[in-house]
Amino acid sequence: MADGQKKILYIASSFGHLAAFHQPYMKWFAEQGCAVHAAAGGDRRDLQGVVQYISLPFEKSMYSQRNLAAAWRLRQLVQRERYDLISLHTSLAAFFARLALLPPCRNRPTVMNTSHGYLFDRDSARLKRMLLLGAERLTAPVTDWLLVMNQQDREIANRYRLGKNIVFTRGMGVDLARFQPATREMRQMARDSMRVQPDELVLVYAAEFSERKNQKMLIRAMQDLPDSVILLLPGEGALLEPCKMLAKELGVSGRVRFPGFVRNVEDYYAAADLCVSASRIEGLPFNVMEAMACGLPVVLSDIKGHQDLVSGGQNGILYPYDDIPAFVKAVERLLDEQTRQLMAVAAYRAAQPYGLETVYPTLTGIYQTALHGHA
């Protein structure tokens, strides 16, 4: 390492997360002359700007002993490498990484935690909220910078002083060059490739199959929607097969499509008429912002993160979480093509402030300030 060169450590639960959301910023650090290291679980991914990779045995369960082992390895790594800045991502990895820095010492690196969404909110069960909020309060003394992405998380962070410098951001930035409204020809090609008929209304929900994402509710709702409504569910995860079985049991498997993991998710937005979500909790959902940037109106569960993206029923509709009749009513309202077209224009406009070109200079400015120890 060159004399005086700054060293940056990125930490997340998986290398896949870093690859999906943070490569422009890791590259930026490298362009500033920093040595960038990445520590995460899962399969290694090549990352722009990264010169060293560290594999960590993270598991999704907060109570796994493997996570404590990962924290111990991180503590040794930080003591050995003497990083200037640690950039934390994903709730589990961020907690155990900060736990590894307790008790705080005088010469520790600057720690920036980017909260992609606390896994609790004002509606969470009391015990769950107490445990997860308690974890954040425990690690607040070593959280020099806290970046939050929605208003409810901002309120929580400020109320409980979960970081020394709390900054509200617009996420990590959506690639608006990739996600934009499809031309008529692109839309027709996408619908033809997915065997969608001209008179069918297509809903899309691109997400990991999990309890939190709640695809089962959407599948159940398909029983009450017209036969002309099609549901696209790109993604993979632990509940993919149970969701397929549920669709078959309910007799809607012909109208619910499971394409699995896809790299061309923009083609699914091109084929769709509406973006939907049944999620229980979010930070600032990329899938929704991408769909809005493609000009799709949205029908979303009324939760934090979603509330930040939908305003006054102009670009979409919020419905009470897990309320099938309310969801069905919202979709039926948007069967009207003129209503969809008006909301599509509003959705496209609402997505523009979340574009990478807008967010990138803001975040790199924050990183520059933190890197040089200013508040």
Side-chain angles (χ1 to χ4, degrees):
M1 185 181 74
D3 188 33
Q5 183 183 31
K6 299 280 189 179
K7 296 179 72 174
I8 314 299
L9 176 62
Y10 264 77
I11 301 175
S13 295
S14 71
F15 286 110
H17 173 89
L18 295 178
F21 303 113
H22 303 288
Q23 295 204 72
Y25 304 103
M26 292 185 286
K27 181 182 177 184
W28 177 86
F29 275 116
E31 290 170 347
Q32 309 312 303
C34 300
V36 183
H37 297 186
D43 295 334
R44 174 180 155 176
R45 303 277 291 275
D46 289 334
L47 304 169
Q48 294 184 64
V50 173
V51 296
Q52 184 170 327
Y53 298 83
I54 302 99
S55 180
L56 295 173
F58 284 126
E59 288 191 352
K60 284 191 174 182
S61 171
M62 287 285 286
Y63 308 105
S64 171
Q65 291 186 353
R66 288 172 64 87
N67 292 327
L68 292 175
W72 175 247
R73 286 188 61 186
L74 274 173
R75 186 174 182 86
Q76 294 176 312
L77 177 69
V78 170
Q79 290 174 345
R80 182 175 69 249
E81 296 289 344
R82 298 184 179 274
Y83 293 104
D84 296 280
L85 175 68
I86 298 179
S87 182
L88 302 175
H89 304 276
T90 66
S91 296
L92 184 143
F95 169 70
F96 283 100
R98 287 176 293 168
L99 190 67
L101 297 174
L102 291 173
C105 59
R106 181 177 298 177
N107 296 321
R108 68 171 177 82
T110 299
V111 175
M112 177 179 286
N113 179 28
T114 300
S115 174
H116 295 264
Y118 292 133
L119 298 178
F120 62 93
D121 59 13
R122 61 172 67 102
D123 297 319
S124 295
R126 186 170 182 270
L127 179 58
K128 179 179 181 179
R129 178 183 171 87
M130 287 177 60
L131 287 173
L132 295 177
L133 177 58
E136 293 299 326
R137 297 182 76 174
L138 173 67
T139 53
V142 290
T143 307
D144 301 296
W145 290 81
L146 174 57
L147 276 53
V148 293
M149 300 181 183
N150 65 63
Q151 291 293 348
Q152 195 174 145
D153 283 353
R154 183 186 200 177
E155 294 167 6
I156 292 169
N158 281 314
R159 179 179 180 183
Y160 295 101
R161 298 186 179 184
L162 299 182
K164 296 174 184 175
N165 299 289
I166 299 171
V167 184
F168 181 74
T169 73
R170 294 184 182 272
M172 306 309 302
V174 174
D175 183 357
L176 297 180
R178 177 184 176 191
F179 296 99
Q180 55 184 294
T183 64
R184 183 175 298 178
E185 292 76 15
M186 292 167 58
R187 174 175 167 82
Q188 190 59 53
M189 286 177 60
R191 289 173 74 93
D192 287 346
S193 69
M194 297 172 199
R195 306 183 309 280
V196 174
Q197 301 303 313
D199 62 339
E200 290 178 327
L201 184 87
V202 179
L203 317 180
V204 62
Y205 183 31
E208 177 189 11
F209 281 81
S210 66
E211 291 289 348
R212 180 164 68 92
K213 296 299 184 179
N214 198 26
Q215 283 93 343
K216 288 184 177 181
M217 189 228 91
L218 299 178
I219 295 169
R220 293 189 178 99
M222 290 295 288
Q223 299 176 99
D224 300 324
L225 286 166
D227 290 343
S228 59
V229 177
I230 304 297
L231 176 62
L232 304 178
L233 294 175
E236 55 188 10
L239 294 187
L240 174 57
E241 291 305 319
C243 282
K244 288 181 178 180
M245 291 177 60
L246 177 63
K248 188 174 182 179
E249 290 169 5
L250 298 179
V252 296
S253 56
R255 297 193 292 125
V256 181
R257 313 274 176 81
F258 299 92
F261 174 77
V262 299
R263 297 189 182 279
N264 61 328
V265 68
E266 61 270 31
D267 292 343
Y268 289 82
Y269 297 143
D273 298 287
L274 300 175
C275 168
V276 299
S277 173
S279 181
R280 168 60 188 89
I281 202 160
E282 290 289 350
L284 194 65
F286 249 75
N287 63 326
V288 173
M289 292 187 289
E290 291 169 351
M292 290 171 60
C294 292
L296 291 185
V298 294
V299 177
L300 312 174
S301 47
D302 190 4
I303 59 169
K304 66 172 186 169
H306 290 168
Q307 295 162 350
D308 293 68
L309 296 173
V310 175
S311 55
Q314 296 176 359
N315 59 341
I317 301 173
L318 297 174
Y319 66 92
Y321 169 74
D322 215 29
D323 188 331
I324 290 178
F327 171 77
V328 169
K329 184 177 179 180
V331 173
E332 288 177 338
R333 177 183 166 190
L334 291 170
L335 291 173
D336 177 66
E337 185 175 357
Q338 185 175 5
T339 303
R340 290 202 310 274
Q341 289 177 348
L342 291 172
M343 283 195 176
V345 173
Y348 171 79
R349 290 174 178 168
Q352 300 312 297
Y354 298 94
L356 185 60
E357 289 187 1
T358 301
V359 173
Y360 180 87
T362 301
L363 286 182
T364 53
I366 295 169
Y367 295 155
Q368 182 80 6
T369 301
L371 191 60
H372 294 285
H374 304 300

